[in-house]
């Protein structure tokens, strides 16, 4: 992969955050596959939002201050998100059609599947179902990620720290009582929860931005802290504490623990031996999140119908998710993003050339 004199692919990255993102993605997948094995896996979404707020603010706030336009920012975000998002929709729709025709799931009419797929493929919720993305349910958070990106470039970048704190407080005020009423923080996948999903997204997103606006260390040492962060995110998502109610544990994870883990994880790195694995799971984490729903029902056949050992099938399922995600990144996402970026660059150069040409003629 790299020579002794070349930098490894994780050089200059937040490797601890990469590893935490990968573990969080696997926890979400495991929650969907077998809830009992990752009972709070869904709060990984709050960690994702906080991490996204931190990373995007760190990367793009200086560019926005230097004059980057909203359209250019959103185009870059679409280039980053859309290829794997579309792969996830294609795979889950294929599985949904197979299940429909085999009679294992006839809950959706073919017309509903067709219309929903068209809207979902455009990164828009289905207008025909209560669930925003009926064939790839986890995609709801990617839709709100895109909304948060738009709000960030249009408004949040303009706000001072105190205003971001106010957004966090208002969002928590709106979201927290609903979590208690709902009995958990697993909120956002259906139309009727749109305002709560938006509040959930904005709280964590703004918390991540506030962390990015703190003074960053000049050097992130490779210490035991990196390993502690990786273990902590796994413990937070896999634990099922009985001494605290589910909604209160979820709120603690959303409002306190997830931002705290982003803050700590952005200041330490794992050991050199652990870095390759942390980088790898982070590299495939988005692909894993985008496609894992398509693998659930085929794998559940072995667990539920053939009664294979649950622990064994959990490892097989996660292994299949990682392998599929790696394939999608290597052979679909990277080539597609390269192609899209090249096309956009050529169009921009053509516009600049045309503008220069007109001014010269004038």
């Amino acid at each position: 992969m790299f020579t002794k004199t070349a930098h490894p692919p994780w050089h200059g990255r937040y490797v601890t955050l990469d590893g935490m993102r990968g573990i969080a993605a696997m926890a979400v997948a495991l929650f969907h596959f077998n809830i009992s094995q990752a009972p709070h896996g869904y709060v990984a979404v709050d960690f994702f939002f906080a991490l996204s707020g931190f990373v995007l603010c760190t990367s793009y706030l200086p560019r926005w201050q230097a004059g980057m336009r909203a359209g250019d920012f959103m185009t870059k975000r679409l280039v980053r998100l859309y290829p794997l998002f579309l792969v996830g929709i294609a795979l889950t729709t294929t599985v949904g059609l197979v299940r429909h025709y085999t009679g294992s799931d006839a809950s959706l009419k073919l017309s509903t599947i067709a219309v929903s797929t068209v809207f979902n493929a455009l990164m828009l919720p289905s207008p025909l179902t209560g669930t925003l993305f009926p064939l790839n349910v986890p995609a709801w958070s990617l839709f709100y990620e895109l909304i948060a990106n738009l709000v960030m470039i249009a408004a949040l970048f303009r706000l001072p720290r105190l205003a971001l704190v106010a957004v966090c407080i208002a969002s928590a005020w709106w979201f927290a009582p609903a979590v208690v009423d709902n009995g958990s923080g697993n909120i956002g996948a259906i139309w009727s929860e749109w305002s709560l999903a938006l509040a959930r997204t904005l709280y964590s997103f703004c918390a991540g931005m506030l962390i990015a606006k703190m003074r960053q260390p000049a050097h992130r040492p490779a210490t035991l802290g990196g390993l502690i962060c990786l273990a902590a995110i796994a413990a937070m998502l896999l634990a099922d504490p009985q001494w605290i109610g589910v909604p209160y544990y979820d709120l603690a994870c959303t409002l306190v623990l997830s931002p705290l883990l982003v803050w700590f994880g952005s200041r330490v790195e794992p050991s050199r031996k652990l870095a390759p694995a942390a980088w790898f799971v982070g590299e495939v984490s988005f692909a894993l999140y985008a496609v894992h729903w398509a693998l659930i029902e085929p794998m559940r056949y072995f667990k539920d119908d053939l009664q294979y050992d649950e622990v064994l099938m959990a490892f097989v399922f996660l292994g299949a998710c990682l392998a599929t995600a790696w394939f999608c990144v290597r052979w679909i996402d990277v080539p597609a993003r390269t192609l899209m970026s090249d096309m956009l660059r050529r169009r921009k150069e053509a516009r600049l050339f045309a503008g220069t040409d007109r001014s010269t003629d004038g």
Side-chain angles (χ1 to χ4, degrees), residues 13-14 17 50-51 53-59 61-62 161 207-221 259 261-269:
R13 295 178 61 99
Y14 289 93
L17 294 180
L51 179 58
F54 170 80
V55 171
L56 292 180
C57 187
T58 300
S59 300
L61 179 58
R161 289 182 178 88
M209 291 183 66
L210 285 167
I211 295 168
K213 287 173 175 281
M214 295 178 180
R215 179 174 294 181
Q216 302 298 313
H219 173 67
R220 297 189 300 275
L261 285 172
V262 171
W263 173 81
F264 189 33
S266 67
R267 282 158 170 74
V268 294
E269 295 294 356

mmCIF file of all heavy atoms in Angstrom, residues 13-14 17 50-51 53-59 61-62 161 207-221 259 261-269:
data_model
loop_
_atom_site.group_PDB
_atom_site.id
_atom_site.type_symbol
_atom_site.label_atom_id
_atom_site.label_comp_id
_atom_site.label_asym_id
_atom_site.label_seq_id
_atom_site.Cartn_x
_atom_site.Cartn_y
_atom_site.Cartn_z
ATOM 1 N N ARG A 13 -4.550 12.755 9.266
ATOM 2 C CA ARG A 13 -5.973 12.598 9.568
ATOM 3 C C ARG A 13 -6.189 12.507 11.072
ATOM 4 O O ARG A 13 -5.262 12.235 11.832
ATOM 5 C CB ARG A 13 -6.518 11.335 8.889
ATOM 6 C CG ARG A 13 -6.512 11.387 7.382
ATOM 7 C CD ARG A 13 -7.009 10.084 6.794
ATOM 8 N NE ARG A 13 -8.378 9.797 7.189
ATOM 9 C CZ ARG A 13 -9.447 10.032 6.441
ATOM 10 N NH1 ARG A 13 -9.298 10.578 5.252
ATOM 11 N NH2 ARG A 13 -10.644 9.733 6.858
ATOM 12 N N TYR A 14 -7.419 12.698 11.470
ATOM 13 C CA TYR A 14 -7.820 12.440 12.848
ATOM 14 C C TYR A 14 -8.118 10.941 12.960
ATOM 15 O O TYR A 14 -9.264 10.504 12.828
ATOM 16 C CB TYR A 14 -9.056 13.257 13.206
ATOM 17 C CG TYR A 14 -8.818 14.751 13.337
ATOM 18 C CD1 TYR A 14 -9.001 15.593 12.245
ATOM 19 C CD2 TYR A 14 -8.440 15.306 14.555
ATOM 20 C CE1 TYR A 14 -8.795 16.966 12.359
ATOM 21 C CE2 TYR A 14 -8.233 16.677 14.686
ATOM 22 C CZ TYR A 14 -8.414 17.499 13.585
ATOM 23 O OH TYR A 14 -8.212 18.856 13.711
ATOM 24 N N LEU A 17 -10.690 9.687 15.533
ATOM 25 C CA LEU A 17 -12.055 9.963 15.094
ATOM 26 C C LEU A 17 -12.466 9.024 13.964
ATOM 27 O O LEU A 17 -13.632 8.599 13.892
ATOM 28 C CB LEU A 17 -12.179 11.418 14.645
ATOM 29 C CG LEU A 17 -12.015 12.484 15.735
ATOM 30 C CD1 LEU A 17 -12.170 13.879 15.142
ATOM 31 C CD2 LEU A 17 -13.003 12.271 16.875
ATOM 32 N N ALA A 50 -22.361 15.146 15.453
ATOM 33 C CA ALA A 50 -21.367 15.963 16.159
ATOM 34 C C ALA A 50 -20.022 15.906 15.441
ATOM 35 O O ALA A 50 -19.335 16.930 15.281
ATOM 36 C CB ALA A 50 -21.228 15.487 17.603
ATOM 37 N N LEU A 51 -19.640 14.717 14.989
ATOM 38 C CA LEU A 51 -18.378 14.561 14.266
ATOM 39 C C LEU A 51 -18.403 15.328 12.949
ATOM 40 O O LEU A 51 -17.426 15.986 12.571
ATOM 41 C CB LEU A 51 -18.119 13.072 14.009
ATOM 42 C CG LEU A 51 -16.846 12.719 13.250
ATOM 43 C CD1 LEU A 51 -15.617 13.239 13.979
ATOM 44 C CD2 LEU A 51 -16.751 11.196 13.054
ATOM 45 N N GLY A 53 -20.223 18.008 12.251
ATOM 46 C CA GLY A 53 -20.121 19.430 12.552
ATOM 47 C C GLY A 53 -18.694 19.846 12.819
ATOM 48 O O GLY A 53 -18.238 20.902 12.351
ATOM 49 N N PHE A 54 -17.959 19.011 13.560
ATOM 50 C CA PHE A 54 -16.560 19.310 13.863
ATOM 51 C C PHE A 54 -15.700 19.292 12.604
ATOM 52 O O PHE A 54 -14.944 20.246 12.332
ATOM 53 C CB PHE A 54 -16.015 18.299 14.870
ATOM 54 C CG PHE A 54 -14.528 18.370 15.056
ATOM 55 C CD1 PHE A 54 -13.963 19.336 15.879
ATOM 56 C CD2 PHE A 54 -13.684 17.475 14.407
ATOM 57 C CE1 PHE A 54 -12.590 19.427 16.027
ATOM 58 C CE2 PHE A 54 -12.311 17.548 14.557
ATOM 59 C CZ PHE A 54 -11.763 18.528 15.383
ATOM 60 N N VAL A 55 -15.804 18.230 11.826
ATOM 61 C CA VAL A 55 -14.941 18.061 10.656
ATOM 62 C C VAL A 55 -15.225 19.127 9.599
ATOM 63 O O VAL A 55 -14.310 19.736 9.040
ATOM 64 C CB VAL A 55 -15.109 16.649 10.060
ATOM 65 C CG1 VAL A 55 -14.396 16.537 8.713
ATOM 66 C CG2 VAL A 55 -14.574 15.602 11.029
ATOM 67 N N LEU A 56 -16.512 19.381 9.325
ATOM 68 C CA LEU A 56 -16.853 20.351 8.287
ATOM 69 C C LEU A 56 -16.497 21.771 8.703
ATOM 70 O O LEU A 56 -16.045 22.570 7.872
ATOM 71 C CB LEU A 56 -18.345 20.255 7.945
ATOM 72 C CG LEU A 56 -18.783 18.954 7.253
ATOM 73 C CD1 LEU A 56 -20.273 18.986 6.964
ATOM 74 C CD2 LEU A 56 -17.993 18.716 5.972
ATOM 75 N N CYS A 57 -16.701 22.084 9.971
ATOM 76 C CA CYS A 57 -16.325 23.418 10.442
ATOM 77 C C CYS A 57 -14.807 23.601 10.370
ATOM 78 O O CYS A 57 -14.314 24.654 9.945
ATOM 79 C CB CYS A 57 -16.825 23.633 11.866
ATOM 80 S SG CYS A 57 -16.609 25.317 12.483
ATOM 81 N N THR A 58 -14.070 22.580 10.771
ATOM 82 C CA THR A 58 -12.611 22.651 10.713
ATOM 83 C C THR A 58 -12.114 22.813 9.276
ATOM 84 O O THR A 58 -11.199 23.600 9.004
ATOM 85 C CB THR A 58 -11.991 21.388 11.333
ATOM 86 O OG1 THR A 58 -12.411 21.276 12.702
ATOM 87 C CG2 THR A 58 -10.481 21.421 11.273
ATOM 88 N N SER A 59 -12.743 22.088 8.351
ATOM 89 C CA SER A 59 -12.260 22.073 6.966
ATOM 90 C C SER A 59 -12.755 23.252 6.145
ATOM 91 O O SER A 59 -12.018 23.801 5.317
ATOM 92 C CB SER A 59 -12.693 20.764 6.281
ATOM 93 O OG SER A 59 -12.162 19.638 6.943
ATOM 94 N N LEU A 61 -14.843 26.200 7.257
ATOM 95 C CA LEU A 61 -15.020 27.566 7.758
ATOM 96 C C LEU A 61 -13.942 28.509 7.215
ATOM 97 O O LEU A 61 -14.269 29.625 6.752
ATOM 98 C CB LEU A 61 -15.036 27.583 9.287
ATOM 99 C CG LEU A 61 -15.204 28.963 9.932
ATOM 100 C CD1 LEU A 61 -16.497 29.627 9.455
ATOM 101 C CD2 LEU A 61 -15.188 28.853 11.457
ATOM 102 N N PRO A 62 -12.656 28.109 7.226
ATOM 103 C CA PRO A 62 -11.642 29.008 6.642
ATOM 104 C C PRO A 62 -11.882 29.273 5.158
ATOM 105 O O PRO A 62 -11.656 30.392 4.679
ATOM 106 C CB PRO A 62 -10.324 28.253 6.870
ATOM 107 C CG PRO A 62 -10.606 27.323 8.008
ATOM 108 C CD PRO A 62 -12.032 26.922 7.837
ATOM 109 N N ARG A 161 -20.009 32.135 18.659
ATOM 110 C CA ARG A 161 -20.106 30.981 19.550
ATOM 111 C C ARG A 161 -21.355 31.033 20.428
ATOM 112 O O ARG A 161 -22.035 30.015 20.624
ATOM 113 C CB ARG A 161 -18.859 30.897 20.433
ATOM 114 C CG ARG A 161 -17.592 30.480 19.708
ATOM 115 C CD ARG A 161 -16.440 30.372 20.687
ATOM 116 N NE ARG A 161 -15.215 29.924 20.049
ATOM 117 C CZ ARG A 161 -14.334 30.726 19.478
ATOM 118 N NH1 ARG A 161 -14.567 32.045 19.450
ATOM 119 N NH2 ARG A 161 -13.243 30.248 18.915
ATOM 120 N N ALA A 207 -22.917 21.433 18.334
ATOM 121 C CA ALA A 207 -21.946 21.036 19.356
ATOM 122 C C ALA A 207 -20.602 20.717 18.709
ATOM 123 O O ALA A 207 -19.538 21.102 19.215
ATOM 124 C CB ALA A 207 -22.468 19.836 20.140
ATOM 125 N N GLY A 208 -20.626 20.014 17.574
ATOM 126 C CA GLY A 208 -19.389 19.723 16.855
ATOM 127 C C GLY A 208 -18.710 20.977 16.354
ATOM 128 O O GLY A 208 -17.473 21.101 16.391
ATOM 129 N N MET A 209 -19.495 21.957 15.897
ATOM 130 C CA MET A 209 -18.915 23.222 15.438
ATOM 131 C C MET A 209 -18.260 23.978 16.588
ATOM 132 O O MET A 209 -17.195 24.579 16.422
ATOM 133 C CB MET A 209 -20.004 24.079 14.789
ATOM 134 C CG MET A 209 -20.518 23.551 13.460
ATOM 135 S SD MET A 209 -21.748 24.662 12.711
ATOM 136 C CE MET A 209 -20.739 26.111 12.365
ATOM 137 N N LEU A 210 -18.903 23.949 17.755
ATOM 138 C CA LEU A 210 -18.321 24.618 18.921
ATOM 139 C C LEU A 210 -16.986 23.987 19.304
ATOM 140 O O LEU A 210 -16.041 24.692 19.686
ATOM 141 C CB LEU A 210 -19.302 24.559 20.090
ATOM 142 C CG LEU A 210 -20.501 25.503 19.986
ATOM 143 C CD1 LEU A 210 -21.560 25.147 21.028
ATOM 144 C CD2 LEU A 210 -20.049 26.953 20.164
ATOM 145 N N ILE A 211 -16.898 22.669 19.200
ATOM 146 C CA ILE A 211 -15.638 21.984 19.487
ATOM 147 C C ILE A 211 -14.569 22.415 18.483
ATOM 148 O O ILE A 211 -13.411 22.651 18.836
ATOM 149 C CB ILE A 211 -15.837 20.458 19.461
ATOM 150 C CG1 ILE A 211 -16.774 20.020 20.589
ATOM 151 C CG2 ILE A 211 -14.498 19.723 19.581
ATOM 152 C CD1 ILE A 211 -17.256 18.590 20.481
ATOM 153 N N ALA A 212 -14.968 22.537 17.208
ATOM 154 C CA ALA A 212 -14.015 22.950 16.173
ATOM 155 C C ALA A 212 -13.505 24.370 16.405
ATOM 156 O O ALA A 212 -12.382 24.703 16.019
ATOM 157 C CB ALA A 212 -14.670 22.855 14.797
ATOM 158 N N LYS A 213 -14.331 25.218 17.028
ATOM 159 C CA LYS A 213 -13.940 26.606 17.272
ATOM 160 C C LYS A 213 -13.060 26.759 18.513
ATOM 161 O O LYS A 213 -12.545 27.848 18.780
ATOM 162 C CB LYS A 213 -15.186 27.476 17.409
ATOM 163 C CG LYS A 213 -15.912 27.733 16.083
ATOM 164 C CD LYS A 213 -17.225 28.465 16.315
ATOM 165 C CE LYS A 213 -17.880 28.820 14.998
ATOM 166 N NZ LYS A 213 -17.288 29.999 14.368
ATOM 167 N N MET A 214 -12.904 25.678 19.281
ATOM 168 C CA MET A 214 -11.970 25.716 20.406
ATOM 169 C C MET A 214 -10.535 25.689 19.883
ATOM 170 O O MET A 214 -10.277 25.298 18.735
ATOM 171 C CB MET A 214 -12.196 24.512 21.327
ATOM 172 C CG MET A 214 -13.542 24.483 22.017
ATOM 173 S SD MET A 214 -13.717 22.977 23.026
ATOM 174 C CE MET A 214 -15.367 23.213 23.687
ATOM 175 N N ARG A 215 -9.614 26.090 20.719
ATOM 176 C CA ARG A 215 -8.207 26.029 20.323
ATOM 177 C C ARG A 215 -7.785 24.573 20.130
ATOM 178 O O ARG A 215 -7.960 23.746 21.025
ATOM 179 C CB ARG A 215 -7.332 26.695 21.376
ATOM 180 C CG ARG A 215 -5.843 26.659 21.045
ATOM 181 C CD ARG A 215 -5.032 27.451 22.036
ATOM 182 N NE ARG A 215 -5.352 28.889 21.946
ATOM 183 C CZ ARG A 215 -4.757 29.807 22.690
ATOM 184 N NH1 ARG A 215 -3.841 29.450 23.594
ATOM 185 N NH2 ARG A 215 -5.097 31.080 22.549
ATOM 186 N N GLN A 216 -7.246 24.278 18.967
ATOM 187 C CA GLN A 216 -6.830 22.917 18.642
ATOM 188 C C GLN A 216 -5.357 22.721 19.009
ATOM 189 O O GLN A 216 -4.546 23.633 18.841
ATOM 190 C CB GLN A 216 -7.036 22.638 17.150
ATOM 191 C CG GLN A 216 -8.464 22.819 16.674
ATOM 192 C CD GLN A 216 -9.431 21.875 17.339
ATOM 193 O OE1 GLN A 216 -9.172 20.677 17.443
ATOM 194 N NE2 GLN A 216 -10.544 22.402 17.821
ATOM 195 N N PRO A 217 -5.004 21.536 19.501
ATOM 196 C CA PRO A 217 -3.606 21.289 19.853
ATOM 197 C C PRO A 217 -2.722 21.280 18.615
ATOM 198 O O PRO A 217 -3.135 20.837 17.541
ATOM 199 C CB PRO A 217 -3.653 19.902 20.511
ATOM 200 C CG PRO A 217 -4.873 19.249 19.959
ATOM 201 C CD PRO A 217 -5.867 20.363 19.755
ATOM 202 N N ALA A 218 -1.513 21.761 18.772
ATOM 203 C CA ALA A 218 -0.568 21.774 17.650
ATOM 204 C C ALA A 218 -0.129 20.363 17.287
ATOM 205 O O ALA A 218 0.246 20.091 16.139
ATOM 206 C CB ALA A 218 0.649 22.627 18.005
ATOM 207 N N HIS A 219 -0.176 19.463 18.251
ATOM 208 C CA HIS A 219 0.252 18.081 18.019
ATOM 209 C C HIS A 219 -0.685 17.141 18.772
ATOM 210 O O HIS A 219 -1.041 17.403 19.916
ATOM 211 C CB HIS A 219 1.691 17.880 18.500
ATOM 212 C CG HIS A 219 2.141 16.456 18.460
ATOM 213 N ND1 HIS A 219 2.308 15.759 17.280
ATOM 214 C CD2 HIS A 219 2.450 15.577 19.470
ATOM 215 C CE1 HIS A 219 2.704 14.527 17.544
ATOM 216 N NE2 HIS A 219 2.799 14.401 18.854
ATOM 217 N N ARG A 220 -1.099 16.081 18.089
ATOM 218 C CA ARG A 220 -1.955 15.074 18.731
ATOM 219 C C ARG A 220 -1.094 13.848 19.048
ATOM 220 O O ARG A 220 -0.734 13.091 18.145
ATOM 221 C CB ARG A 220 -3.111 14.680 17.808
ATOM 222 C CG ARG A 220 -4.050 15.831 17.480
ATOM 223 C CD ARG A 220 -5.292 15.354 16.746
ATOM 224 N NE ARG A 220 -4.960 14.700 15.493
ATOM 225 C CZ ARG A 220 -4.760 15.320 14.345
ATOM 226 N NH1 ARG A 220 -4.828 16.643 14.291
ATOM 227 N NH2 ARG A 220 -4.483 14.648 13.246
ATOM 228 N N PRO A 221 -0.768 13.644 20.302
ATOM 229 C CA PRO A 221 0.142 12.537 20.647
ATOM 230 C C PRO A 221 -0.540 11.177 20.538
ATOM 231 O O PRO A 221 -1.749 11.048 20.744
ATOM 232 C CB PRO A 221 0.507 12.843 22.109
ATOM 233 C CG PRO A 221 -0.674 13.592 22.638
ATOM 234 C CD PRO A 221 -1.179 14.419 21.493
ATOM 235 N N PRO A 259 -20.599 14.549 22.174
ATOM 236 C CA PRO A 259 -19.707 15.710 21.988
ATOM 237 C C PRO A 259 -18.393 15.573 22.758
ATOM 238 O O PRO A 259 -17.336 15.972 22.250
ATOM 239 C CB PRO A 259 -20.544 16.883 22.518
ATOM 240 C CG PRO A 259 -21.957 16.437 22.390
ATOM 241 C CD PRO A 259 -21.930 14.962 22.662
ATOM 242 N N LEU A 261 -16.777 12.838 23.452
ATOM 243 C CA LEU A 261 -15.912 11.895 22.745
ATOM 244 C C LEU A 261 -15.298 12.534 21.502
ATOM 245 O O LEU A 261 -14.137 12.258 21.159
ATOM 246 C CB LEU A 261 -16.698 10.641 22.364
ATOM 247 C CG LEU A 261 -17.002 9.679 23.519
ATOM 248 C CD1 LEU A 261 -17.950 8.572 23.066
ATOM 249 C CD2 LEU A 261 -15.716 9.077 24.066
ATOM 250 N N VAL A 262 -16.069 13.386 20.806
ATOM 251 C CA VAL A 262 -15.503 14.100 19.658
ATOM 252 C C VAL A 262 -14.384 15.032 20.125
ATOM 253 O O VAL A 262 -13.309 15.099 19.506
ATOM 254 C CB VAL A 262 -16.597 14.894 18.913
ATOM 255 C CG1 VAL A 262 -15.968 15.804 17.849
ATOM 256 C CG2 VAL A 262 -17.584 13.944 18.253
ATOM 257 N N TRP A 263 -14.618 15.738 21.220
ATOM 258 C CA TRP A 263 -13.602 16.652 21.753
ATOM 259 C C TRP A 263 -12.331 15.899 22.130
ATOM 260 O O TRP A 263 -11.231 16.269 21.724
ATOM 261 C CB TRP A 263 -14.161 17.384 22.973
ATOM 262 C CG TRP A 263 -13.117 18.218 23.668
ATOM 263 C CD1 TRP A 263 -12.689 19.466 23.307
ATOM 264 C CD2 TRP A 263 -12.357 17.844 24.820
ATOM 265 N NE1 TRP A 263 -11.700 19.905 24.171
ATOM 266 C CE2 TRP A 263 -11.474 18.928 25.110
ATOM 267 C CE3 TRP A 263 -12.331 16.717 25.645
ATOM 268 C CZ2 TRP A 263 -10.588 18.899 26.188
ATOM 269 C CZ3 TRP A 263 -11.450 16.690 26.712
ATOM 270 C CH2 TRP A 263 -10.591 17.764 26.977
ATOM 271 N N PHE A 264 -12.472 14.839 22.901
ATOM 272 C CA PHE A 264 -11.303 14.092 23.357
ATOM 273 C C PHE A 264 -10.625 13.388 22.188
ATOM 274 O O PHE A 264 -9.394 13.375 22.067
ATOM 275 C CB PHE A 264 -11.717 13.094 24.435
ATOM 276 C CG PHE A 264 -10.568 12.425 25.132
ATOM 277 C CD1 PHE A 264 -9.366 13.088 25.347
ATOM 278 C CD2 PHE A 264 -10.687 11.111 25.583
ATOM 279 C CE1 PHE A 264 -8.302 12.470 26.001
ATOM 280 C CE2 PHE A 264 -9.633 10.484 26.240
ATOM 281 C CZ PHE A 264 -8.440 11.164 26.440
ATOM 282 N N GLY A 265 -11.429 12.783 21.307
ATOM 283 C CA GLY A 265 -10.873 12.059 20.171
ATOM 284 C C GLY A 265 -10.121 12.940 19.191
ATOM 285 O O GLY A 265 -9.257 12.453 18.450
ATOM 286 N N SER A 266 -10.450 14.241 19.171
ATOM 287 C CA SER A 266 -9.749 15.164 18.266
ATOM 288 C C SER A 266 -8.420 15.625 18.830
ATOM 289 O O SER A 266 -7.704 16.395 18.177
ATOM 290 C CB SER A 266 -10.638 16.384 17.991
ATOM 291 O OG SER A 266 -10.816 17.161 19.165
ATOM 292 N N ARG A 267 -8.061 15.143 20.023
ATOM 293 C CA ARG A 267 -6.839 15.595 20.677
ATOM 294 C C ARG A 267 -5.828 14.491 20.934
ATOM 295 O O ARG A 267 -4.729 14.759 21.421
ATOM 296 C CB ARG A 267 -7.202 16.283 22.006
ATOM 297 C CG ARG A 267 -7.710 17.689 21.790
ATOM 298 C CD ARG A 267 -8.558 18.218 22.924
ATOM 299 N NE ARG A 267 -8.792 19.662 22.733
ATOM 300 C CZ ARG A 267 -9.627 20.170 21.822
ATOM 301 N NH1 ARG A 267 -10.314 19.351 21.043
ATOM 302 N NH2 ARG A 267 -9.778 21.482 21.696
ATOM 303 N N VAL A 268 -6.167 13.272 20.622
ATOM 304 C CA VAL A 268 -5.257 12.150 20.833
ATOM 305 C C VAL A 268 -5.302 11.235 19.614
ATOM 306 O O VAL A 268 -6.256 11.267 18.837
ATOM 307 C CB VAL A 268 -5.622 11.340 22.105
ATOM 308 C CG1 VAL A 268 -5.421 12.177 23.356
ATOM 309 C CG2 VAL A 268 -7.060 10.828 22.039
ATOM 310 N N GLU A 269 -4.276 10.419 19.468
ATOM 311 C CA GLU A 269 -4.213 9.449 18.380
ATOM 312 C C GLU A 269 -3.920 8.063 18.939
ATOM 313 O O GLU A 269 -3.321 7.935 20.019
ATOM 314 C CB GLU A 269 -3.132 9.841 17.368
ATOM 315 C CG GLU A 269 -3.410 11.137 16.629
ATOM 316 C CD GLU A 269 -4.618 11.063 15.718
ATOM 317 O OE1 GLU A 269 -5.218 9.975 15.579
ATOM 318 O OE2 GLU A 269 -4.986 12.093 15.143
#
